Amino acid sequence: MEHGPGAYGLPGRHGSFWMETTAAETPHPPLPGNLETDVAVVGGGITGITTAVLLKRAGYAVTLLEGNRICQGVTGHTTAKVTALHRLIYKELIDRFGGRPAQQYAEANQAAIETVASLVREYGIACDFARKPACTYAETEEAREKVADEADAARSLGLPAAFTEDIPLSARSYGAVVFENQAQFHPVNYLLHLASLIPGDGSRIYENTRALEVQDGGGRCTVRTASGTVTADTVVLATHYPFYDAPGFYFARMEPSRSYALGVRLDEPFPEGMFINADGPAHSWRSQPAGDGGELVIVGGMEHRTGEDVDTRRHYRDLEAYARSVYPLRSVDYRWSAQDYITVDGVPYIGPLAAGHENVYIATGFRKWGMTNGTAAATIITDMIRGRENPHAEVYAPDRFKPAASARRFLAHNIEVAEKYIGGAISRPAGDLRDVAPGEGRVLMIEGKKAGVFRDEKGRVHAVNPTCTHLGCVAAWNSAEETWDCPCHGSRFDADGKVIHGPAVKDLKPRGG
Ligand code: FES
């Protein structure tokens, strides 16, 4: 049953500007049966597509599998800043890891900007790639010292950083750290072009082919899907949260986080640059050619842990109110949201999945900076598969995990969340089906069993068993997107229970099932 989120007084039309301005359909068929390949890449976002392109250029036969359509997951919903300025991170990295790992992170992300720039240049990709300064500004007086420290830390790592008193954005600012010569682009136009380079010479893309299982015990690996098995020397999991965890314990080492974006029009030109505030709920700004000669301004932020908020619609409203407090808005044209993962120590996991699973690679936990971290992941994993040393790999190593005090708190929180949502608070849902208003979703107890019930705008009831098919937490209703979102590891399902985002690979059961 098809339906999309209703308006409910929310600003703009529901849909990412990137996806609304590119072809709705991509041409790749589902996997037709069993096949063999050198490398199986699972996931058709920036990490998977860039990895596949780099490997193909290096002479490998690559098979890319995407559970839905390429470029429509997290990458299709990003704010698409191609920058090494990740809000505030470098002081934190130096304090936590020391100078060398921090330098690796800095260089990997700076290098990723140049990788994107050279691919755009080499293939003549029309994706509005533009060099811009990136800026993290202090919205409060307390944050001023933090941005000044960040400028010092970043400069000490060789990044093009400076502290400035003034920024051209109309938002309140008590000073800012600025990185020159960063970039922005239209991510879907960029990736659709890159993806078009993959098929041929033994390489392929299959869409609507969800990977269900990986087996990598000795010899070659297999990726099982509903329509066939791909046998490969190497598997790259580029699906954000890995649906195949093996003994990596990623389920305890990352948390899913959602954030929101609006595409708005101003009466005045947007200032040169990309902007984000230093602390508190994120406020992120950039502009984008709108395609009609005008300019769209993308304002984003308002992040929260997935599944932990009962009224997600308010984040769009809050974001609109915030944007209007900075600029008079001529219109709000689009609204969309995205999900990303944050690791225990804030640095992505990129590399072999776990000891004994060296032929399966993972790239995840980009902390909302996936354009550069995802590109860096593609470069690092390509080098690893080719047996070449990569100077930036060490800081991202998935096995670096050492449970510092902050990490123990993080783990404890994750366990608490799992306990809460497997049993605890959700085990006593109240209410009656008749109480569920149009546009509302709730977990109810019906005939002694939990039911996830959503009543759509036409009054039709959609009912599922809300028990997540990943590890059994109870999914929560996301009113803004009309999806069931799992608070434990971020699996997402549509109102009828179909998987739209892993790690779950199976749909929710029908109510009572
Ligand atoms: Fe892991 Fe739901 S995503 S239990």
Side-chain angles (χ1 to χ4, degrees), residues 10 17 33 88 98 100 133 154 164 199 213 217 247 257 278 286 296 313 369 371 397 442 473 501:
L10 295 176
F17 171 77
L88 299 179
R100 186 161 171 268
T164 179
E213 189 183 45
S257 172
R286 63 161 282 195
L296 198 75
R313 287 178 193 150
W369 300 100
M371 298 300 99
R442 280 201 220 172
C473 294
H501 187 98

Side-chain angles (χ1 to χ4, degrees), residues 40-111:
V41 175
V42 185
I46 190 165
T47 307
I49 290 172
T50 312
T51 304
V53 167
L54 297 182
L55 284 169
K56 182 179 175 185
R57 280 160 44 127
Y60 290 80
V62 184
T63 298
L64 189 148
L65 304 173
E66 164 56 47
N68 296 309
R69 291 278 178 189
I70 59 169
C71 308
Q72 295 197 355
V74 177
T75 300
H77 294 82
T78 171
T79 53
K81 293 175 175 174
V82 188
T83 176
L85 178 63
H86 295 175
R87 214 175 181 196
L88 299 179
I89 192 169
Y90 292 105
K91 167 114 180 18
E92 179 189 328
L93 289 181
I94 292 170
D95 291 349
R96 180 173 286 165
F97 294 110
R100 186 161 171 268
Q103 182 120 29
Q104 287 183 4
Y105 186 93
E107 288 175 0
N109 282 280
Q110 271 294 117

Side-chain angles (χ1 to χ4, degrees), residues 468 470-473 486 488-491 503-504:
C468 178
H470 178 228
L471 293 175
C473 294
C486 182
C488 286
H489 317 110
S491 291

Side-chain angles (χ1 to χ4, degrees), residues 241 251 341 422 467-475 485-493 501-504:
Y241 195 102
F251 65 87
Y341 289 86
I422 288 172
T467 306
C468 178
T469 54
H470 178 228
L471 293 175
C473 294
V474 177
D485 294 359
C486 182
C488 286
H489 317 110
S491 291
R492 302 182 63 229
F493 308 85
H501 187 98

Side-chain angles (χ1 to χ4, degrees), residues 17-18 21-22 79-82 116-117 120-121 124-132 182-191 193 272 274 286-296 298:
F17 171 77
W18 316 123
T21 51
T22 45
T79 53
K81 293 175 175 174
V82 188
V116 172
V120 167
R121 210 169 34 241
I125 303 176
C127 61
D128 303 318
F129 181 86
R131 295 284 185 169
K132 302 262 178 183
Q182 308 294 292
Q184 63 180 40
F185 65 175
H186 187 308
V188 177
N189 278 337
Y190 170 73
L191 286 171
H193 192 123
E272 179 74 1
M274 305 174 284
R286 63 161 282 195
S287 61
Q288 165 66 26
D292 56 4
E295 179 182 58
L296 198 75
I298 297 167

Side-chain angles (χ1 to χ4, degrees), residues 259-289:
S259 50
Y260 298 79
L262 298 176
V264 307
R265 306 258 185 167
L266 310 184
D267 280 324
E268 57 189 278
F270 188 73
E272 179 74 1
M274 305 174 284
F275 306 88
I276 189 165
N277 63 335
D279 56 4
H283 298 143
S284 159
W285 298 85
R286 63 161 282 195
S287 61
Q288 165 66 26

